[in-house]
Amino acid sequence: MPYRLSHWQIFLTASLLSFFVYFNAVTPSRAHDIQPIIADLSMTDNQVQLDLSLNIEIALSDIDASLVTDTNDSKNADAYDALRQLNAAELKDEIRRNAKSFLDKLQVMVGGNRLALNIAGITVEDGIDLSLPRRTNITLTAALPSNDAPVVVGLDQTLGDFAIRQQDPSIDPDDLYTDYISAGQTSLPIPRGGVMDRSWQEITSQYIVSGIAHIIPKGLDHIIFIAGLFFFSPKWRPLLMQVTVFTLAHSFTLALATYGFVSIPASVVEPLIALSIVWIGIENVIRPKIGVSRLGVIFTFGLLHGLGFAFVLGEVGLAGSAFMISLIAFNIGVELGQLLVLAPLLVMAALIGGHAKYHQRVEVPASSMIAVIGLYWFIERVFFG
């Protein structure tokens, strides 16, 4: 007896598919993503120094980086674009004119008391295409009270996520504190001398959460690629084979790149990742069965995606002496993120996986949409930065 879809199965499947395609089509790609602020903290007996690397135009235009992932999605996008057109000297002047409002968004605290920060230096990235985001480095200093109380760093929620990295030439770099702080949260208390005693459980949980976050909501191209693997076949065996090969590949290059054995510019990797999405979408339509060549292609593309994750960890850093623990934990978080992506798709597979016209009615239109999205990203990343 032929398999037939009931009306509720058709409705639920169409709803899941429509939501998935809509979510991924309207969410902005990485080209104009808001990146986390990098905060390097160093201390002497009587002074603390905080070196920030950030897209200062976001703060100056009052864009809430905790609410949007792309500056174009903010109501203050015009103000942001106007600031981007300033040259380095003009932007420095703008920063100094707005110094008080900017400093009010920063918190460096000792014993619950907020320190008075001063701007000691500003360096604006110069000689770049001003239509693209640029990094500004701001050095801040404050006097430390005469006690041994640790230092806590926090940024206003509107500045978004930030990475904190302890700097101390007298301490083994592998023992220094690094952390990824969510918007509106503060760092752990950072000792003025010596190293922070953190359990492996704390480090593991931190990097698992970070790995999940870099899939949902930040890893949109990774999400689309995983969806492409799913739509090739909703059956468990082909899906498991593809995801396993992909996971092994991106874990391999993530480890190599994080250890410094492989280094390829993001300007090369990002367009290639977009092309991998195009390829998978097209191959889903024209290749009816899984085989060695398909798995080889997925492995190759997995290597590229691993390099993409390495760019994130390159900025944020891994937990010093617990380097391997944090790397493994980050990978576990990535895999959990993938499972969260696949969960609604597996519901859809349970509804329609055995339908005779799955290829024609589900795989072809979904994969075609995936290929179009990948092509759009490729053009954007090559021609528009």
Side-chain angles (χ1 to χ4, degrees):
M1 184 175 180
Y3 182 95
R4 295 182 182 278
L5 292 175
S6 65
H7 292 300
W8 73 268
Q9 286 178 312
I10 293 173
F11 173 77
L12 183 54
T13 299
S15 298
L16 285 169
L17 180 58
S18 299
F19 172 78
F20 185 83
V21 172
Y22 171 78
F23 171 81
N24 288 289
V26 302
T27 305
S29 65
R30 286 185 177 177
H32 300 98
D33 278 355
I34 294 177
Q35 298 298 319
I37 294 172
I38 308 300
D40 290 324
L41 181 76
S42 55
M43 290 175 277
T44 62
D45 291 338
N46 55 12
Q47 180 177 271
V48 60
Q49 179 173 312
L50 189 66
D51 292 293
L52 299 180
S53 175
L54 74 165
N55 184 343
I56 189 63
E57 292 94 326
I58 292 174
L60 294 178
S61 57
D62 289 325
I63 290 177
D64 190 337
S66 69
L67 297 180
V68 297
T69 57
D70 189 293
T71 58
N72 291 328
D73 294 336
S74 171
K75 63 181 180 180
N76 297 329
D78 290 342
Y80 171 79
D81 289 337
L83 289 167
R84 290 197 300 178
Q85 301 310 310
L86 301 179
N87 60 37
E90 291 169 336
L91 186 57
K92 281 185 182 181
D93 291 340
E94 192 70 20
I95 294 170
R96 295 199 180 278
R97 278 194 295 270
N98 293 274
K100 184 180 184 306
S101 62
F102 175 65
L103 292 176
D104 285 343
K105 297 179 180 180
L106 311 177
Q107 297 178 15
V108 177
M109 295 169 290
V110 175
N113 297 315
R114 188 170 180 173
L115 304 183
L117 292 169
N118 299 294
I119 296 179
I122 302 173
T123 304
V124 177
E125 190 177 7
D126 203 2
I128 65 168
D129 183 350
L130 291 179
S131 66
L132 302 177
R134 58 184 162 187
R135 303 294 283 191
T136 295
N137 296 312
I138 301 178
T139 298
L140 305 158
T141 60
L144 282 171
S146 56
N147 57 47
D148 294 328
V151 173
V152 176
V153 178
L155 273 60
D156 189 85
Q157 181 166 325
T158 59
L159 294 179
D161 299 347
F162 72 99
I164 182 76
R165 305 186 300 197
Q166 182 185 11
Q167 307 292 319
D168 190 333
S170 67
I171 298 176
D172 186 332
D174 286 343
D175 294 328
L176 294 173
Y177 168 64
T178 65
D179 209 344
Y180 189 85
I181 313 297
S182 299
Q185 304 300 310
T186 62
S187 72
L188 295 176
I190 304 169
R192 298 194 196 182
V195 298
M196 183 182 297
D197 185 18
R198 301 176 69 196
S199 69
W200 68 267
Q201 293 95 334
E202 291 175 322
I203 295 172
T204 299
S205 62
Q206 171 199 338
Y207 282 93
I208 286 177
V209 171
S210 181
I212 294 173
H214 284 93
I215 295 294
I216 301 173
K218 299 175 183 178
L220 182 57
D221 46 10
H222 196 85
I223 291 173
I224 288 285
F225 189 88
I226 289 293
L229 302 185
F230 168 83
F231 283 116
F232 174 78
S233 173
K235 296 180 180 179
W236 274 102
R237 187 171 180 273
L239 180 60
L240 182 61
M241 291 173 65
Q242 292 177 97
V243 172
T244 299
V245 168
F246 182 60
T247 297
L248 290 174
H250 74 65
S251 299
F252 179 67
T253 46
L254 173 59
L256 288 181
T258 306
Y259 273 108
F261 294 122
V262 178
S263 179
I264 301 177
S267 58
V268 174
V269 172
E270 295 296 333
L272 290 177
I273 288 177
L275 273 185
S276 75
I277 294 169
V278 177
W279 183 286
I280 286 298
I282 294 174
E283 192 175 51
N284 283 358
V285 176
I286 64 175
R287 186 185 294 274
K289 294 182 180 180
I290 194 168
V292 175
S293 60
R294 165 84 176 184
L295 295 177
V297 167
I298 292 171
F299 184 83
T300 302
F301 291 154
L303 298 177
L304 290 173
H305 284 252
L307 292 174
F309 288 130
F311 298 142
V312 174
L313 289 182
E315 285 192 332
V316 175
L318 289 169
S321 58
F323 182 96
M324 184 55 66
I325 292 176
S326 51
L327 179 61
I328 292 172
F330 183 85
N331 248 321
I332 291 172
V334 168
E335 304 319 314
L336 291 174
Q338 288 181 175
L339 290 175
L340 290 173
V341 171
L342 287 170
L345 297 175
L346 292 174
V347 172
M348 185 171 66
L351 296 171
I352 63 169
H355 194 265
K357 294 190 176 181
Y358 170 84
H359 178 77
Q360 176 184 345
R361 295 184 179 179
V362 177
E363 182 181 0
V364 170
S367 298
S368 299
M369 179 64 72
I370 286 171
V372 169
I373 293 172
L375 181 60
Y376 169 78
W377 284 342
F378 175 75
I379 294 171
E380 184 184 49
R381 293 173 184 183
V382 170
F383 297 104
F384 302 101

